[in-house]
Amino acid sequence: MMRRALLFAIALLAFAAHAETIRIEQYLATLRGIDELLASNQLELARAEAVTLSAYDVASPQGQFHADDSLLAAIADSRVPVPQLRARLALTIDELRRATGIEGTAADRKLLEEVTKAQEVEDLKAGGEVEKLPAEIPMFDRIMKSIEEMFDWIGKQLRRLLEWIIDLLPNNQNLYGATGGMRWIVVGVALAILLIVVALAFVVIRRSRGTKPEVTESAEPIGSERDADPLSRGANEWETYALTLGSEGRYREAIRAWFHAVLVTCYSESILHFRKGRTNWEYISSLSPSHAWRPELITLTRRFEQEWYGSDVSTEEAFEDCGARARNILDALHRSGGVAA
C-alpha cells in the first residue's frame, strides 16, 4: 500500500515540470476507461492508468486545469473500496460534462444508475424462520457406530458366501437329514473353501501393495523449466521459441514466450529494469507515456494475463493476436533503438 502511494507521489514530482496537455474529451474518455477497468476488476491496470493520467493538464473551453490529483490518488490507493471509487468517478464525469457543455452518452447515464443502485441497501424482510441445527453427535459415538456398521456388513457378506458355497454342494436338500459325520464333512469343506478365498485375497492385496508404480516420463520439453524466467533466453531465442511452440499447437506457452521476448528487449534497451518480485503492471506504471508503443504493450500485457492466468488452453486466434502485437512493439523498439518515439 505504501509502495503504491510512493509510486504515485514520485510520478507527480517527475511529471510536474513537464506536464503535457490533453483535451477535455480525452480526459473524460480516460476516466471512463478507468471506471471500466475497475468494473471488470482489473485493479492494477486502473491504478497504473491513474498514475499516468495524473501527469497531464487538461484543456477545456472554460480554461486549462490539472488532472484531479485527489481522485487519481484515491484510485492508486488499494485501500479505497472500488464502489466508492466508481461513485466518485461517476460524479466527476457528470460534473465535468455539464460544466463544459459536453453531452453525456448513454453509457454515462447507465454508469450513474448502476453506481446509485449498488449503493442502495435492501431493507431486511420481516418474518422468516431460523432452522434448528441438528444436535452434534460426539466423535466417539460416531466412530463406534461406524465400526458396528462395518462388522454388520462383513457378517452379512460372510453369511451370503457360506450360503452360496452350500448351494454348490451336491444333494444339499438332504443335508439336514444326513448323519452327523456327513454334516461335519460339509462344514469342513465349506470352511476350507472359505480359507482358500481369504488366502487368495490376502496374497492379491499384499502383491498390490508391493508393486511399484510405473514412472511416467513428462512430455514437457527439456527447456520448460526455464520458461518461467524471462532472463533464461535472449530476445531472439524467445521469438524462435514462440514460433516453435505455436507450430506444435501449444498456443498458451507460445503467448508467454512472445511476452518474454518483449520484456527482455526492454531490459536490454534499459527502458525497463528487471527486479525480482515486480509485477507486470508495476513495469507498465514505470514506463513513460512518451513511448508510442506503450498502449500496445498494455493491451499485450492484459491479453497475456488473461490467457496465462485466466485459462488452461489458448486458441490459435489468441496466439496470432499476441504475436502480431509483440512484433509491432519489437519492430518499434528496433527502429527507435529504445528511444521514446
Side-chain angles (χ1 to χ4, degrees):
M1 297 176 184
M2 292 296 296
R3 183 174 58 185
R4 291 194 181 94
L6 181 59
L7 285 174
F8 188 83
I10 293 173
L12 289 179
L13 293 174
F15 293 107
H18 304 283
E20 299 181 19
T21 303
I22 60 176
R23 296 171 56 193
I24 184 66
E25 292 83 2
Q26 293 175 279
Y27 183 59
L28 289 172
T30 306
L31 290 179
R32 283 194 293 267
I34 292 174
D35 178 74
E36 292 175 2
L37 292 174
L38 292 173
S40 59
N41 204 31
Q42 300 183 55
L43 304 183
E44 291 291 342
L45 184 54
R47 291 166 187 150
E49 288 296 304
V51 172
T52 302
L53 188 60
S54 65
Y56 289 92
D57 289 334
V58 182
S60 69
Q62 286 71 27
Q64 183 169 309
F65 63 92
H66 191 72
D68 190 342
D69 292 336
S70 174
L71 173 61
L72 298 175
I75 296 173
D77 189 351
S78 59
R79 295 170 296 182
V80 181
V82 171
Q84 181 179 337
L85 294 175
R86 296 197 65 201
R88 289 187 60 182
L89 274 170
L91 291 174
T92 301
I93 293 171
D94 188 54
E95 290 176 0
L96 287 173
R97 179 178 54 80
R98 282 184 289 168
T100 56
I102 300 175
E103 290 295 331
T105 63
D108 294 332
R109 292 190 292 273
K110 184 178 179 181
L111 171 61
L112 287 171
E113 292 173 0
E114 288 179 358
V115 173
T116 304
K117 186 176 180 181
Q119 291 183 327
E120 292 178 356
V121 180
E122 185 178 356
D123 295 335
L124 295 175
K125 296 181 180 180
E129 296 181 356
V130 178
E131 295 183 1
K132 185 177 180 181
L133 297 176
E136 184 178 356
I137 303 175
M139 177 66 71
F140 178 78
D141 292 343
R142 282 185 287 175
I143 294 174
M144 294 304 298
K145 185 177 181 181
S146 300
I147 294 175
E148 182 181 354
E149 292 175 352
M150 180 186 67
F151 278 111
D152 288 342
W153 183 84
I154 293 175
K156 290 179 182 178
Q157 302 307 315
L158 288 176
R159 282 196 298 271
R160 290 178 61 186
L161 178 62
L162 285 173
E163 291 172 359
W164 177 73
I165 293 174
I166 292 174
D167 288 339
L168 292 178
L169 295 175
N171 300 324
N172 60 80
Q173 63 272 18
N174 299 323
L175 180 61
Y176 295 101
T179 62
M182 179 59 70
R183 287 198 297 269
W184 280 112
I185 290 174
V186 172
V187 172
V189 172
L191 290 175
I193 294 174
L194 179 61
L195 290 175
I196 292 173
V197 172
V198 172
L200 289 174
F202 176 77
V203 171
V204 170
I205 294 173
R206 186 174 181 182
R207 286 183 178 179
S208 65
R209 289 179 178 177
T211 302
K212 295 182 179 180
E214 296 183 1
V215 178
T216 57
E217 295 183 0
S218 173
E220 294 276 327
I222 296 176
S224 63
E225 295 181 358
R226 303 161 49 200
D227 292 356
D229 182 10
L231 299 180
S232 62
R233 294 180 175 89
N236 293 334
E237 292 179 283
W238 279 118
E239 293 184 48
T240 304
Y241 191 42
L243 294 173
T244 302
L245 292 172
S247 65
E248 296 174 358
R250 297 165 61 184
Y251 302 125
R252 182 167 175 263
E253 296 171 83
I255 290 172
R256 180 174 65 173
W258 275 122
F259 186 69
H260 283 177
V262 173
L263 286 183
V264 171
T265 304
C266 289
Y267 296 155
S268 64
E269 298 290 348
S270 298
I271 297 173
L272 296 177
H273 301 283
F274 175 78
R275 191 177 70 193
K276 189 174 181 180
R278 209 173 204 183
T279 66
N280 294 329
W281 295 116
E282 287 177 327
Y283 284 124
I284 294 294
S285 65
S286 66
L287 188 63
S288 172
S290 58
H291 293 285
W293 44 265
R294 183 177 183 272
E296 190 81 301
L297 180 57
I298 291 175
T299 304
L300 176 62
T301 303
R302 185 188 304 121
R303 190 67 187 270
F304 160 69
E305 295 207 341
Q306 288 174 350
E307 296 296 327
W308 187 256
Y309 301 110
S311 62
D312 296 329
V313 179
S314 297
T315 63
E316 184 177 2
E317 180 184 359
F319 163 70
E320 294 292 344
D321 178 66
C322 291
R325 295 183 185 280
R327 290 189 190 97
N328 291 338
I329 297 170
L330 293 172
D331 290 344
L333 286 169
H334 295 155
R335 286 195 305 269
S336 62
V339 179

